[in-house]
Amino acid sequence: MGAACLSPEGVFFPGKVARVEVLAEGTSVLVSSACSPRACPDCGISSRRVHSRYGRQLDDRPIAGRPVLVRLIVRRFFCDSPTCLRRTFVEQIDGVTEPYQRASSGLRNWLRAVAAELGGRPGARLCRQLSVPAGRMRLLRHLHAPSVPERAPRVLGVDEFAFRRGCRYGTILVDVEVHQVIDVLPDRTSETLAAWLREHTGAQIVCRDRASAYTRAIKEAAPNATEVADRWHLLRNLSLAVEQVCHQHRVCLRKYAEHQQHSQAVQPTLDLLPATLIVDRVRRCHEEINHMVGIGYPISEIARRLGIDRKTVRRYRDTDLDVLLASARDRRSVPLDQFKPYLQAAFAAGRTNATDLYQQILKQGFQGGYSTLSRYVRTLRDGTAVPAPASIPSPRTISGWIMRPRDTLSPRQAAGLEQARLACADITQAGNLARAFTDLVRHRRGHLLGEWIRQAERCDLPSIRSFASFLRQDFDAVTAGLTLSYSSGVVEGHVCRVKLLKRSMYGRASFALLRTRILTRP
């Protein structure tokens, strides 16, 4: 195979190809430099006097699926400058060789890109398929984290990401204007972020979520920066508040749905519910907690004595017994609820065998156990069966309808939302406040935020009042978020990329390597 067939000039590098050998293990190319003068790397003065020659071997990019080994003859020159401390130097070919490297610059760029995209082991598997000589450690040695700018960007995005969810978190810093990650911090404490902001001044706008640690750090280290609260997190917090309102008024929704069905059956009161373990436990726990609250025990002491969570104590303290019993009734046989009308009709028609009924509803999609059905059939025989509850949308479904624009709802969804509003005045009030706030967000009407907060604080909904109180505590940042065009959307996109990198390598590798891969721009 001749040198003219490969056309090495302009393909490998400027040089003179002496011999090309196609071997079983790949292709070997013998090349010598063709440029006469070379400049000293210290003084920059060109020299033509050759001291000696020696050979170098460089791995290069494969050709036609075959690995390439370049045997390069390089020259060592004399440096004739009397003021230079260097007496001889070795020529380096621009764009091809670097001191102490055993791979060409083109191959090094390949390896760096593979390591940045895939990491060690996956990159090594790809290199084997491409006939590139590289193992996982060789790939990782080509990764070097870029230097962090001395000054922070004008618009800085700050957000957290989890090394291990619920245990350890880190912080990612993003230049929002150019969509690039500039640094990664090993934790999410206010001290770490404040120290970084002191070392890298210049941030004029900081986009963040509602994390209090970041707020303290910004106010301490960059007090003149404008904080911008993320709009998505604001809408998410409001959606959770609306969902809590819908959850607290499930009884209203159910009563309205049952009334709309024009059911002729007399509904048993909650006090006449058949005795079950869940119902008895709810009654007993409600009585004990309220008795201890009346005596004056704090929530922590009640939780310790009863062996339950403090949030459970608060729920039993702040929720009426009929709501808790309704929730207990709903939990007893949820998988069976949709089959109760069929079972009641079959039982009334004389088909009272529990085994036969169980086989019939299994064919219709029932996934519960036989004991669940047998207990319900027993209540049918005793005449104490609770009628099948009316179908009502879940609190999350209703809050989703409220938070979405009206023109995006289907006719069926719009009708369901209207039924929920008619069923409960509190849901109607929460929906009106939520739609007013989403209008402020979508149309950047931050100047109306104060009036909305005052209206929300006057309502009778605790979750909405709590959300309004949060907005008042962070009033300036929320106003900026509802006024300026900047947001944390760019940062959230990089957080998703960090999750992918973390799951592919973190735990086997160190934080330093994870930070390098995050900062390396493919």
Side-chain angles (χ1 to χ4, degrees):
M1 183 175 180
C5 297
L6 288 176
S7 300
E9 289 78 11
V11 176
F12 290 109
F13 45 80
K16 181 180 179 181
V17 177
R19 185 173 67 254
V20 177
E21 297 178 354
V22 180
L23 307 175
E25 63 274 10
T27 302
S28 175
V29 183
L30 180 62
V31 185
S32 60
S33 176
C35 301
S36 295
R38 287 297 180 182
C40 175
D42 287 354
C43 62
I45 298 177
S46 297
S47 176
R48 292 179 178 270
R49 287 205 305 147
V50 178
H51 175 275
S52 59
R53 291 176 173 84
Y54 71 96
R56 294 183 62 181
Q57 291 187 1
L58 300 176
D59 293 324
D60 204 349
R61 292 161 291 186
I63 297 179
R66 301 177 64 86
V68 175
L69 178 63
V70 178
R71 301 179 185 277
L72 180 62
I73 306 300
V74 295
R75 297 166 294 180
R76 181 179 294 274
F77 288 85
F78 285 103
C79 181
D80 296 329
S81 174
T83 59
C84 183
L85 297 178
R86 185 185 291 269
R87 290 292 173 255
T88 62
F89 61 90
V90 178
E91 64 177 340
Q92 301 294 337
I93 302 176
D94 296 337
V96 178
T97 65
E98 296 179 13
Y100 310 110
Q101 298 299 327
R102 302 191 64 178
S104 66
S105 297
L107 180 59
R108 286 168 55 81
N109 292 335
W110 277 27
L111 298 180
R112 187 178 297 110
V114 170
E117 290 288 353
L118 300 179
R121 289 183 176 88
R125 291 194 293 267
L126 176 62
C127 288
R128 285 196 295 269
Q129 296 295 325
L130 298 178
S131 301
V132 175
R136 62 184 183 90
M137 296 308 299
R138 184 179 185 181
L139 287 171
L140 295 179
R141 280 195 297 267
H142 285 83
L143 284 180
H144 300 285
S147 59
V148 179
E150 295 182 358
R151 291 181 58 83
R154 189 181 72 89
V155 183
L156 177 66
V158 182
D159 202 357
E160 64 184 20
F161 66 94
F163 295 113
R164 183 180 178 186
R165 190 169 183 178
C167 296
R168 292 185 58 239
Y169 290 83
T171 300
I172 185 171
L173 306 175
V174 179
D175 188 338
V176 175
E177 292 183 309
V178 299
H179 297 192
Q180 288 185 352
V181 181
I182 58 175
D183 205 354
V184 180
L185 306 181
D187 55 48
R188 60 173 179 178
T189 61
S190 60
E191 294 79 11
T192 302
L193 179 59
W196 191 94
L197 290 174
R198 293 190 191 97
E199 295 176 0
H200 305 81
T201 59
Q204 301 178 11
I205 300 175
V206 181
C207 301
R208 57 165 178 80
D209 57 12
R210 59 176 297 183
S212 58
Y214 295 152
T215 303
R216 291 194 302 270
I218 295 170
K219 294 185 181 303
E220 177 184 349
N224 297 326
T226 301
E227 299 180 52
V228 178
D230 184 52
R231 292 183 288 274
W232 184 89
H233 287 89
L234 295 176
L235 292 177
R236 173 62 176 167
N237 294 335
L238 177 59
S239 177
L240 294 176
V242 174
E243 182 179 343
Q244 186 174 353
V245 172
C246 298
H247 183 80
Q248 293 171 347
H249 293 83
R250 288 177 303 166
V251 175
C252 300
L253 297 173
R254 189 174 299 281
K255 288 181 179 179
Y256 183 81
E258 292 172 351
H259 177 72
Q260 292 298 106
Q261 288 181 342
H262 300 285
S263 176
Q264 299 299 324
V266 177
Q267 302 291 335
T269 61
L270 292 172
D271 292 335
L272 299 179
L273 282 175
T276 64
L277 293 177
I278 295 179
V279 172
D280 291 343
R281 184 170 67 246
V282 169
R283 285 198 177 104
R284 185 174 62 256
C285 192
H286 182 271
E287 181 180 354
E288 292 177 355
I289 290 176
N290 283 274
H291 175 70
M292 297 177 72
V293 169
I295 295 177
Y297 285 104
I299 292 178
S300 299
E301 180 64 18
I302 297 175
R304 188 187 65 80
R305 293 197 175 198
L306 299 181
I308 58 179
D309 191 83
R310 288 180 296 178
K311 291 183 290 186
T312 304
V313 176
R314 292 192 186 95
R315 183 166 67 88
Y316 274 83
R317 182 196 64 182
D318 301 335
T319 308
D320 294 336
L321 178 61
D322 57 349
V323 176
L324 295 173
L325 291 175
S327 177
R329 180 188 66 178
D330 293 342
R331 291 197 302 268
R332 284 183 304 162
S333 56
V334 171
L336 194 63
D337 282 348
Q338 57 181 322
F339 302 98
K340 284 182 179 179
Y342 172 80
L343 294 173
Q344 292 173 1
F347 194 87
R351 300 193 297 272
T352 59
N353 186 278
T355 304
D356 294 340
L357 293 175
Y358 180 67
Q359 296 298 329
Q360 293 172 13
I361 63 175
L362 280 180
K363 298 177 181 178
Q364 300 179 20
F366 178 62
Q367 297 180 353
Y370 174 78
S371 60
T372 302
L373 173 68
S374 63
R375 285 195 299 268
Y376 183 69
V377 172
R378 192 180 306 118
T379 61
L380 289 174
R381 292 195 182 100
D382 298 340
T384 59
V386 178
S391 177
I392 60 173
S394 65
R396 179 171 296 183
T397 300
I398 298 175
S399 64
W401 292 343
I402 292 175
M403 298 302 296
R404 289 168 54 185
R406 291 182 181 272
D407 53 0
T408 63
L409 298 177
S410 65
R412 182 177 179 181
Q413 293 171 339
L417 177 59
E418 186 62 26
Q419 293 296 322
R421 292 170 63 90
L422 292 174
C424 181
D426 287 342
I427 294 180
T428 302
Q429 186 180 18
N432 293 337
L433 290 172
R435 289 195 177 277
F437 186 81
T438 55
D439 182 72
L440 300 184
V441 174
R442 294 189 177 103
H443 298 91
R444 303 289 194 277
R445 296 172 178 171
H447 61 283
L448 300 177
L449 178 62
E451 178 60 28
W452 187 92
I453 293 177
R454 286 189 289 271
Q455 293 180 4
E457 289 176 339
R458 290 196 296 267
C459 73
D460 298 328
L461 309 174
S463 60
I464 300 297
R465 291 203 307 269
S466 177
F467 175 73
S469 176
F470 155 70
L471 296 183
R472 186 174 293 282
Q473 294 174 5
D474 204 16
F475 185 82
D476 293 338
V478 176
T479 303
L482 302 187
T483 305
L484 303 178
S485 59
Y486 303 107
S487 71
S488 299
V490 176
V491 188
E492 295 293 343
H494 283 286
V495 169
C496 290
R497 174 174 171 261
V498 170
K499 292 178 181 178
L500 175 63
L501 295 176
K502 180 201 68 174
R503 289 167 182 166
S504 66
M505 59 165 286
Y506 191 72
R508 299 186 304 272
S510 62
F511 167 74
L513 180 56
L514 177 62
R515 176 179 179 272
T516 299
R517 288 196 65 189
I518 294 174
L519 296 180
T520 302
R521 300 173 180 86

